[in-house]
Every structure is written in C-alpha cells, then in structure tokens.
Amino acid sequence: MTTIPQQSAIENLELIARQVVEGFIIGLHKSPFHGFSVEFAEHRLYNQGDNLKYVDWKVYGRNDKMFVKKFEEETNLRCCIAIDTSASMFFPETGATKLQYSGVAAACLLYLFKKQLDAGALAFFDEELYSLTQARSGSRHYRMLITELEQLLHQPNRGRKTNAPAALHQIAERLHQRSLVIVFSDMPGSPEKGAELFSALQHLRHSKHEVILFHVIDGHQELEFNYDNRPYEFVDMETNETLKINPSDIKEEYLSRLNAYRKTLEAHCLQYRIDLVTCDMREPVEAVLHRYLLKRNKMM
C-alpha cells in the first residue's frame, strides 16, 4: 500500500514508480487472481508460426516453456495520460494534493508501459491543452516523460480554471492513431460543463480511442463532506468565490447534488463504453494500475 509523499518529498518519481510497480507485480504473482498478462520482461509466450530464431532457449531449459524475445521497437499499445493541472487539482492545501496523487499514479503507469514495451505520451491541460508529447516506447523517452512529470509537480499553482472538454476535444483531434487515453481530473461539476464533457468523451470514442477516466477526489472532504459542526469559509480555488456557512446546514443538499452528478457521469460513460473510476485519494495508487491492466487485457 503506497502513501503519496508531499510535494517536498517528491524528488525522484522514477524511484517511487519502480518501487510501487515492482511491489505490485510481486503481489500479482503471489495472488490467486488470474487473467493479467504479467510477462513484463522482454519476452512473450511463443505462438505457433513465430520465428524459432527468436526463442529464448535458456528460459525454455529452465521452465520448459517457450518464450520469444521481444525488442525495443515492438510496441503493443499506444497510451496517452492526460492530467488536469488546474487550480482545483491543488486541493487539499495540506497533505498530498490531487495533482500529486495523479502525478505519482501517472509515473507508475509510465514505468509499467516501459516494462510492457507500450508507447507512452503525456498531456497537460487546464483552460486548454498546453502540452502533448509524442507516444513512444523506450528508456530514453520514458526518462524524458518522468522529467516532465517532476517539473509539473514542482510548479506552483497558476490559478487556472478547468476546461476539460476543450482539452479532450484537442486530444481527440491530435491523436492520429488508435490509443488508450487515460484522464486524471476532478471533473467539472456544473450541468453545463457536464454536457460539454460528454460531447468531448464521445469525440474520443468516435475517433476509435479507448478511454479510462480517473475521477480524482478527496473522499473524506468531498465524497463524505466530513467537517466539524462549526462555521467555515469555503473558497472556490478556480474562481475565488467565497461561501461562509456551517457545513451541517448544507451537507444533505450537497451530497444529493454530488450523487446525482456522479450518476449522470456514470450513465454517459456506460453509454460510450468508457471506464469511469472514482479515485479516492485515501486509496493506494496500486488501484490505478489494477484498472489499467484490466483495460489493457481487454484491448489486446
């Protein structure tokens, strides 16, 4: 179980990702759960018709199974990780933020891509899509992406608003090959933005992309709305609007509206065959890897 370090402690994402993923892989091998493709080394099982000159006979001699050597240029899947970097992703103000959780999870996914020889890309957005790398495999590209993530996590809050729909439309237009698009965002909450988001998600699916939408949320403060019974001043991190109120006075109405929005989001994702995953920041990032592997195995 992995605890997300605070900003000052995130100095080596590559090390964190390697420790998390290697532990996750060991757990897969020890567990009774079957169905994952866990040949993460540069091998895959021999298929009838494969060229015998690529068979690793040493491995065959040790375990009586035939594996074919895989090479760096072989790519199984193209994956683009899109991260919302708007002001609301810097919540909460104490402890690990949504952006840090997303960044560590993204680093772990990138390490897993490298192990599986999948091509990885990164996209960053707030009011617009402002960064999109090429999707490639290989160690050099992986280290470049990790550096991009580290720089992102050390940037201050720029106070930008979220426009996930516009960014996702841009991603759909700029990804010219079928890809798995993995989105980390706390998602717009208004009905108007919701309709625009559904249109953007439909655009991604129409372009033949598979999508996993990780809805990053603070379970204690946002999902359960657990606050002491006293007056608070709530500040919208993107508009700076303030609301002075006792949380107990609005808790029932807040939870009702939140659950209604989440049900609408779930219904549209089900309609478009998009995997929607609620990412409670209290849960370990290994849950993200688990859902990714489930999706990947369905696509291969």
Side-chain angles (χ1 to χ4, degrees):
M1 183 171 178
T2 303
T3 301
I4 303 301
Q6 295 189 27
Q7 182 103 7
S8 59
I10 300 180
E11 299 295 342
N12 193 332
L13 270 182
E14 185 172 2
L15 176 60
I16 295 171
R18 182 167 68 247
Q19 291 175 337
V20 171
V21 174
E22 296 296 348
F24 175 74
I25 293 172
I26 291 172
L28 282 182
H29 282 292
K30 289 182 177 179
S31 76
F33 187 86
H34 300 290
F36 284 127
S37 175
V38 292
E39 289 79 25
F40 293 116
E42 295 182 355
H43 296 86
R44 64 170 169 78
L45 284 171
Y46 172 83
N47 294 318
Q48 187 174 1
D50 284 338
N51 193 327
L52 291 176
K53 75 176 183 178
Y54 295 126
V55 172
D56 192 326
W57 297 109
K58 291 182 180 180
V59 173
Y60 176 75
R62 288 197 300 269
N63 58 25
D64 201 32
K65 291 185 179 180
M66 294 180 69
F67 286 84
V68 176
K69 295 178 182 178
K70 297 181 71 175
F71 300 95
E72 197 71 21
E73 62 269 16
E74 292 186 46
T75 297
N76 296 321
L77 191 67
R78 305 179 70 86
C79 307
C80 176
I81 303 175
I83 301 178
D84 181 352
T85 67
S86 61
S88 62
M89 292 292 285
F90 287 80
F91 180 85
E93 295 182 342
T94 58
T97 66
K98 296 176 182 179
L99 185 61
Q100 290 168 8
Y101 184 96
S102 301
V104 172
C108 293
L109 287 171
L110 290 172
Y111 186 80
L112 201 51
F113 298 167
K114 183 171 76 79
K115 296 285 277 184
Q116 295 181 299
L117 303 180
D118 292 334
L122 281 176
F124 301 147
F125 68 91
D126 42 45
E127 296 177 5
E128 60 182 357
L129 177 68
Y130 64 87
S131 178
L132 176 62
T133 71
Q134 292 183 319
R136 293 178 179 170
S137 58
S139 297
R140 181 179 298 179
H141 184 67
Y142 162 74
R143 285 191 293 270
M144 184 272 286
L145 296 181
I146 289 295
T147 299
E148 293 272 336
L149 272 179
E150 288 180 335
Q151 292 175 349
L152 173 70
L153 295 186
H154 285 86
Q155 288 181 357
N157 183 355
R158 301 192 302 168
R160 304 293 292 273
K161 297 180 180 179
T162 306
N163 194 344
L168 295 179
H169 276 301
Q170 290 176 286
I171 291 173
E173 292 167 358
R174 293 176 59 178
L175 291 181
H176 302 300
Q177 293 177 282
R178 181 174 180 264
S179 304
L180 171 60
V181 179
I182 300 172
V183 182
F184 288 94
S185 176
D186 54 358
M187 310 310 301
S190 67
E192 296 80 9
K193 285 290 184 181
E196 295 174 11
L197 174 66
F198 304 143
S199 174
L201 292 173
Q202 189 176 22
H203 187 182
L204 283 168
R205 292 294 292 129
H206 182 74
S207 299
K208 308 301 182 184
H209 301 303
E210 297 290 335
V211 182
I212 305 178
L213 181 56
F214 286 108
H215 184 192
V216 184
I217 196 165
D218 184 308
H220 181 76
Q221 297 187 61
E222 294 179 301
L223 279 181
E224 299 166 5
F225 207 62
N226 285 327
Y227 290 90
D228 296 333
N229 186 20
R230 62 177 179 82
Y232 283 81
E233 182 177 81
F234 292 93
V235 181
D236 188 312
M237 298 184 71
E238 297 190 4
T239 66
N240 290 321
E241 293 183 23
T242 61
L243 176 65
K244 296 180 180 180
I245 198 168
N246 189 318
S248 60
D249 293 339
I250 62 169
K251 182 173 183 176
E252 184 176 349
E253 178 68 16
Y254 167 85
L255 292 177
S256 175
R257 294 192 181 192
L258 175 65
N259 291 330
Y261 173 73
R262 293 180 66 208
K263 287 181 180 179
T264 301
L265 185 60
E266 289 171 0
H268 280 82
C269 286
L270 181 63
Q271 177 184 351
Y272 302 141
R273 301 189 304 280
I274 289 171
D275 289 20
L276 174 64
V277 183
T278 297
C279 249
D280 187 340
M281 293 168 56
R282 296 173 297 183
E283 297 178 353
V285 294
E286 286 85 348
V288 173
L289 303 180
H290 189 278
R291 288 304 295 259
Y292 158 72
L293 284 180
L294 283 173
K295 184 70 169 182
R296 183 186 190 278
N297 279 13
K298 290 177 183 178
M299 294 176 62
M300 299 304 293

